[in-house]
Structures are given as structure tokens and as C-alpha cells.
Amino acid sequence: MSVGELFNPRSIALVGATDKSGWSISTLANLRAHAFPGPVHLVNPRGGVVHGMPAYRSLTEIPERVDLAYVMVPTAAVLGVLREGAKLGIRCYVILTAGFGEAGEEGARLESEVAAFAVEHGLTILGPNGNGYINAAAGVTPYGLPIPQPLLRGSVGVVLQSGALASSVLGFAQARNVGVSLLTSMGNESVVTVTDVIEYLVDDPATKVVALFLETIRNPAEFSRVARRALEAGKPIVALKIGRSKLASHTAQAHTGALVGDDDVIDAALRQLGVIRVRSLEDLIITAGLLASSGPLPGRRVGVVTPSGGASEIIADRAEDEGLELPPFAPETVARLAEIVPAFGTVANPLDVTGYVLIDRTLMGRALDIVTSDPGIDLVMLLSDAPKAAPPDPAPVLAMYTASARRIAESPVPVVVVSNVLTDVTEFGRRVQEETGFPYVAGGIEHGLHAIGAAVRWSSLRAQALSRPAPSPVSAAPPAGASGVWAEHRAAALLGSAGLPVVPSELAGGEGEALAAAERFGYPVVLKVAADGLGHKSDIGGVRLGLGGPEEVRRAYRELVAALPSLDGVLVQPQRSGGVELLVGVVRDPAWGLTLAVGLGGVWVEVLRDTALRVLPVDAAQVRTALSELRGAALLDGVRGGEPVDLDAVAGVVARIAAFAESLGDGLESLEINPLLVAGSRVEALDALITWR
């Protein structure tokens, strides 16, 4: 299968061409309007004249080689077209026709036949049920809907699992002056998949950024592979992944299952892979456009230059939301700005140079020069826009924007231009940008700051990913005969055998054994029921805490036995106190595999729901970052005189737990430690539960 040949044909046949079809009319019009350099042949079973051109009755009648067949015939006739084309050596197809897998059981059967035939004969097929593609970089536009004009060539590759949205996305990109290299409407992905197209774009010199609209990620392992390739190549992937609804928990026995939803796992996986997840089509295009223009951004310390005090306040709020810093200007910067900012202005970051810019047209530029030289700034956000209406004499406007463009190009730090609100770039504004080299303008403060924050996060994550060694593979060695739910006495023993820190415990089969164990540990002690298949012991009153002497142990033992006569025994442990209780859980996601959840634990875990997720494998550095994301992260730093937690020690233990979970192989459904008690450098599992598939 050659995706490169699919997107770069030298000749095209429109099969099923007819004057009665809007798709047929639009596809030919698009190829003509954008000057496809090769021949375009029309095929209609009746022959005759179609769209003012002679039509062949079949592919076989075409007297020269065809590189791409664009198929618009009825559903039942598609396979016949493929058979004929394969005999003629045609390897690439776009199937516009619908009525396949999306239409029910019979359509799915036909689609399976198409896919099997394609695999057998080495065919490359985009679709079915897709509008085709627009290779703007090469001027190849076999696309079944009208293309909004003008078609802007640029460096953003767009891949969409939605035919209906493709034209809207393209129209918005053009409205914001974002040029595309390639846009594809994927259809049913019977042969060519989203990951195939991403891989093509990673290798495509015309593409700098990949923008995705995803309804589903069909093959997480393959998606992960190409996403890592894109990250290594320095090509950001921006994705709008829809479908945030919470589905049933993966493991009813463990708290972790209730905390880990499908979309939570996808979100964690995308972040780990360096994929920028956005929340709207507008953010998809604006963020991709910014990254295509700016490339990586060096840090989160932003200097802001704006002519509006109100905008400065909005920017300050949204910057905080995005994790961006607006540090105070250095004293020398303040002194220099004070010399040029009007006396009624205030020199601060964000910098409002005031409405005096309407009198002194050089003020914004001079202020920008000063702020970009501040030693504590990584990048500068300039609030500006391309001009809207053309004046009678455009020369002064062109001169002003040329000077601004030169100033921005020569800046020692990146300058990101953002407009106040999201409006279309006008034809005159586009002309000014083209003729002066004025940079891309992110549309609106809201979307612009979201794009800056995303670009900063991507840049940081890529640097970390390139410097981090690949995790070592973990061998799978599950215990023989493991099945069902292992309660604490068996789960903790397994953890302890792997050298993980577990609170000491003894399984007592009688009252005397419980007393002897308590004497050995020293009071106070804890008693817990021990029975495989039992999940949450506290739900049935199966835990007794703080037992201070023999009589309390005897009474607690008898109560536990009475409450659960079928127990395997009673677990005796020394009482632990102080510190912070964490949850460490690993649960198997059906698509992405084993996923780590780390968060605040204890009995309130499902109420607080304060967890951070990572798809395995992970290392200690990634675990430490996950801990910092918790809303309750301050508890680990020590509050109200509490002892700070040794985060390196905690992260190291959690990473070892995750690696151990991987080593248990495909039979593991979930492993949970709740709580993992952390106090200073002491880390100890106080309870554990393992569920086998």
C-alpha cells in the first residue's frame, strides 16, 4: 500500500461521472480550478458526453495509464470497479460511495469484501463513504464538495474522521489565513487509516503540523507509534477527540476502576504522546496555525504588549488558566519603558501602552523592542491584527506592517501575534500579510492564549521525551493459576515477594494466633478479615483499628469471625498513623492497556476523585509529574507543620509498582494499593487488592 502514490497521482479517472451528481460536478470543477497538471478521464457506463467532455464506458477503454480512480458508482458496483482496475494495474482509489459499514450488516459485509480484495491485490483505498482529499501542496484536489476560495497552500496537514465537517474546517482555516498542505476526509477507513495518513504527513516536507478531528482511535498501538514518530520529527499533532462520556468502570472490585473512564485514559495517553488535545474546531485550526508559524516555544514566561488595559486583564486571567507566567519586567526594562509610555500609563506586565498609539504610530513597535530584550522573558505576546479595509492609498499601511514584520523577525525571542477577538482575515489583510511578511495572527485572546499554552506545553514535553531513555521492557511472569479476586493477605504477600514495601502482617487462623501476632508486633494493632473475592473490607465492617491490648484483640477477632464466618483468617498488622494516604492503582483499559492512577487515597478516594493517570510504562520522573498535577499536591509538601514527603522516594516506589503490574502479564485486570502511606521518606503499602482476568 502506497499512501504517497494515492496523494500524488499523475492521472485521474472519475468513475461514475454524471451530470446528475453534485459530487461529480464538484470533483471535476475542483481539479480544473486548481490546475491539476495531468489528464482527467470520465467514466460512465453509457459513454457519451459528461460535463462537456467525452466519457469512456469503462476503465478498460481509457487508452493510457490511470494512477487514481475516484469511484462514485452505486454501492453494489464498487467491487466490480476494483476488479477491473486491478487487472489494469490501477493501485490507488478514492471511494466516495456510501452504504457500507455505516449502513448496517449488509453494508459491513460488502465493506469487508472490498477490504479483503484490496489486501489481496495490494490496493490503496481511501474511504469508502469519504469525500476524498485536497493535496494543496501539489495542486491535486479530487474532493467531492466545493472548495472555498481561495485555497491557501500552507504547512498544516488536516485529517478528519468526518466528511460533513471537512469543508467547514477548510473554510475556517482560510478565514484565519491558515494554509493547508493536505486535507483528507477519511470515510470508513477500510484500508487507509488515520495513522497511515499521519505517517505520510510526518515524512511530508510540505507539512509542519498535523491537525486531527477524531471520533475514535481505532488502533491505539499504531497511533502511539506514529505519534512518537511525529514527536521525534518535531511535528506537533493537534487533535480534537470527541466523546467524553463516562462508560462503566473496568473493575468493580477496585476503587481504580471507578476512577478511570475511557476518555480519561485517552486524555492521559495523548498527553504522554505529545498530542495537543483541544476542545473546539476553532482551537484545532488556530493552535495548528500558531505552531506552524512559530515552531517550538522556549518557555512559559510571557511578556505582553497591548494597547488596551481591559485586554491586559483578560490576558492575565487566561494566562494563569494556561499555566503561563507573566513575570515582572526587569528594572532596566521598566526604566526604558517609562521613558516612552505616556505618564498616564503604568509600566507592568502585561504592558498597556495606552490608546496613545493612535497618535504615536511608533509606540507599539518601540515598546516591543524593549520587552523582547528583557532577560526574564521567553516569548512575547503582541496584541495586534492584520488590517481590515483597504485605504485609498495602501502604501503607508504596507510600510508600517513591513517595519513591524522586520522587528518581529529580528526579535531575540519569539513574538506571537494575537488579535482581540476572533474575526475573519479580510482579503486586504491577507494581502498585507503576504506582501510584508507580517506573521500569523492567532484569532482572539481566548483562542490565542489557549494556543500559546498548548505550544509551550508541547515544546516542554518534546524536550523531556527526547532526553528520556526508553523504558526497559518488563518480562511477564504471572503466578501459576492466578484467578478471581485476591484479597489483601495474598495480594500483599505477592507485592512483598517482589521487594515492594508492605506493612508487616500475619494471617491468624484462631484467636490465640491473633493474640500472639499482636504481642510480636506490639500495640496498637489492626485486625482485618481475610477472604479472597472480598473487595472493600470496610464496607462490611471487616476492619478494626487501634486495638490497644489483648482484650480488645479478642473482642475484635470474635466480631470479625461472626460477621464473616467463611473468612480465610484474620490479618494482624501493626497500627500506622500520620503521613498522607495515597491511592496507587493499575487497571487494564480495553484499548490502551494497563493504566496507572495515582492520587489521594483512603476511604474518601471515590468522593475526592483526585487522581492523575498515565498509560504504562512510566518512569519515576513521569510519576513525580503526575503527583504534582493533583489538586491535593500541597499535602505532600507538608501543611500546618506536617512533615514534607520525599517525592523522589514516593515516585520511585510507585514506578516500581507499575513495573511490577506489567510483569504480571495479560492475566492482570487490576492491582490496587489503597492506602499507600507516605511520611517523609517512609513509603508503605497498608492494603492491597488484585483482580485477575
Side-chain angles (χ1 to χ4, degrees):
M1 183 173 70
S2 174
V3 177
E5 291 179 10
L6 170 72
F7 292 137
N8 294 277
R10 291 167 294 181
S11 60
I12 297 174
L14 305 185
V15 185
T18 170
D19 291 321
K20 299 178 181 179
S21 167
W23 284 292
S24 180
I25 294 169
S26 293
T27 305
L28 181 61
N30 289 334
L31 291 167
R32 286 173 169 169
H34 300 97
F36 174 65
V40 177
H41 308 286
L42 306 184
V43 177
N44 183 295
R46 294 186 178 88
V49 176
V50 177
H51 306 324
M53 295 172 55
Y56 299 99
R57 287 189 293 271
S58 67
L59 286 169
T60 305
E61 287 189 2
I62 299 174
E64 56 187 292
R65 175 184 174 86
V66 171
D67 291 332
L68 172 68
Y70 189 91
V71 182
M72 301 174 284
V73 301
T75 307
V78 169
L79 194 55
V81 173
L82 298 182
R83 291 192 178 105
E84 181 187 14
K87 289 178 182 178
L88 298 170
I90 302 173
R91 293 288 174 253
C92 297
Y93 300 80
V94 172
I95 301 179
L96 176 99
T97 308
F100 287 91
E102 80 285 357
E105 186 175 338
E106 177 60 19
R109 184 188 65 78
L110 290 173
E111 187 171 329
S112 295
E113 290 183 9
V114 166
F117 185 85
V119 171
E120 181 182 356
H121 293 84
L123 307 184
T124 302
I125 297 176
L126 180 64
N129 188 34
N131 289 321
Y133 67 84
I134 300 168
N135 186 346
V140 183
T141 55
Y143 183 72
L145 295 173
I147 297 175
Q149 296 300 319
L151 175 59
L152 302 180
R153 290 171 171 82
S155 54
V156 176
V158 183
V159 188
L160 300 140
Q161 287 180 327
S162 170
L165 288 178
S167 294
S168 296
V169 168
L170 183 62
F172 181 72
Q174 292 172 349
R176 288 307 310 164
N177 208 23
V178 176
V180 301
S181 55
L182 176 76
L183 180 144
T184 58
S185 171
M186 295 304 305
N188 293 3
E189 299 181 59
S190 63
V191 179
V192 175
T193 65
V194 164
T195 51
D196 294 326
V197 180
I198 295 173
E199 187 135 50
Y200 169 82
L201 294 172
V202 170
D203 296 325
D204 177 28
T207 300
K208 293 181 180 179
V209 179
V210 179
L212 307 177
F213 175 85
L214 299 175
E215 295 172 342
T216 184
I217 298 176
R218 301 177 189 273
N219 187 330
E222 186 66 8
F223 184 89
S224 298
R225 183 186 67 79
V226 297
R228 290 189 186 99
R229 277 203 66 212
L231 193 64
E232 292 169 1
K235 292 193 177 183
I237 296 177
V238 185
L240 173 58
K241 169 66 179 72
I242 60 172
R244 292 180 173 272
S245 58
K246 303 289 185 182
L247 300 182
S249 62
H250 303 304
T251 308
Q253 290 286 352
H255 288 102
T256 310
L259 296 171
V260 179
D262 289 359
D263 191 69
D264 298 318
V265 177
I266 291 170
D267 201 57
L270 294 181
R271 279 189 281 112
Q272 286 174 254
L273 293 168
V275 176
I276 301 166
R277 190 174 186 181
V278 296
R279 57 199 174 194
S280 68
L281 291 171
E282 292 84 357
D283 281 329
L284 178 69
I285 295 304
I286 290 170
T287 303
L290 172 63
L291 280 158
S293 173
S294 70
L297 296 177
R300 63 183 63 252
R301 300 175 302 172
V302 182
V304 178
V305 179
T306 168
S308 166
S312 296
E313 295 173 3
I314 297 172
I315 291 167
D317 288 344
R318 286 295 290 117
E320 183 174 304
D321 296 340
E322 296 294 337
L324 300 171
E325 300 174 15
L326 304 181
F329 292 133
E332 58 269 28
T333 304
V334 173
R336 293 175 62 194
L337 288 171
E339 294 177 359
I340 66 170
V341 172
F344 53 85
T346 302
V347 175
N349 188 20
L351 175 66
D352 171 19
V353 297
T354 77
Y356 201 74
V357 292
L358 297 176
I359 298 173
D360 182 355
R361 298 288 186 176
T362 70
L363 180 55
M364 282 275 284
R366 289 186 291 142
L368 180 64
D369 283 341
I370 295 171
V371 173
T372 56
S373 64
D374 188 289
I377 297 298
D378 297 315
L379 64 110
V380 172
M381 173 182 168
L382 174 65
L383 204 66
S384 183
D385 206 343
K388 300 297 182 186
D393 179 10
V397 174
L398 291 170
M400 182 177 67
Y401 276 86
T402 298
S404 295
R406 185 182 305 114
R407 180 175 279 115
I408 291 169
E410 294 173 354
S411 167
V413 296
V415 176
V416 177
V417 183
V418 178
S419 61
N420 277 292
V421 294
L422 179 58
T423 56
D424 291 355
V425 177
T426 65
E427 183 178 347
F428 179 65
R430 186 177 295 115
R431 174 194 163 190
V432 169
Q433 287 187 275
E434 290 173 356
E435 293 185 13
T436 67
F438 193 76
Y440 169 77
V441 179
I445 295 172
E446 168 69 24
H447 299 290
L449 275 165
H450 182 75
I452 293 171
V456 167
R457 289 189 292 274
W458 176 84
S459 304
S460 174
L461 190 145
R462 179 171 186 262
Q464 294 171 17
L466 295 180
S467 63
R468 179 183 296 127
S472 301
V474 178
S475 60
S483 63
V485 178
W486 280 16
E488 180 181 358
H489 62 294
R490 297 181 71 185
L494 184 61
L495 291 167
S497 69
L500 294 166
V502 179
V503 64
S505 63
E506 291 188 25
L507 183 63
E511 187 175 310
E513 292 181 11
L515 282 168
E519 294 292 338
R520 282 190 291 273
F521 287 132
Y523 296 100
V525 295
V526 176
L527 264 60
K528 305 175 182 177
V529 294
D532 276 340
L534 178 63
H536 307 312
K537 296 182 288 293
S538 59
D539 291 349
I540 62 164
V543 179
R544 297 292 186 273
L545 301 174
L547 304 176
E551 288 305 316
E552 293 183 28
V553 170
R554 287 192 185 94
R555 182 169 58 254
Y557 183 89
R558 293 167 187 169
E559 291 172 351
L560 293 177
V561 171
L564 192 69
S566 61
L567 52 75
D568 299 327
V570 171
L571 209 58
V572 184
Q573 299 172 342
Q575 174 84 40
R576 298 294 196 228
S577 60
V580 178
E581 293 185 346
L582 296 179
L583 162 83
V584 177
V586 176
V587 66
R588 186 176 299 279
D589 180 82
W592 295 90
L594 293 179
T595 302
L596 170 71
V598 59
L600 296 183
V603 296
W604 299 107
V605 58
E606 290 182 31
V607 176
L608 297 174
R609 300 185 66 87
D610 186 11
T611 56
L613 304 184
R614 295 294 186 273
V615 176
L616 300 190
V618 295
D619 58 25
Q622 291 169 303
V623 172
R624 180 156 181 170
T625 300
L627 290 169
S628 72
E629 295 170 2
L630 300 176
R631 296 192 303 276
L635 293 173
L636 302 174
D637 298 329
V639 293
R640 294 182 178 270
E643 181 182 13
V645 167
D646 184 340
L647 289 173
D648 289 332
V650 177
V653 169
V654 174
R656 287 167 54 202
I657 293 169
F660 176 67
E662 287 187 281
S663 77
L664 297 177
D666 293 339
L668 179 71
E669 179 65 33
S670 69
L671 181 157
E672 180 175 285
I673 296 172
N674 182 31
L676 181 74
L677 185 66
V678 296
S681 59
R682 179 165 62 91
V683 184
E684 193 174 41
L686 302 190
D687 202 345
L689 183 72
I690 296 177
T691 304
W692 304 99
R693 298 173 78 181

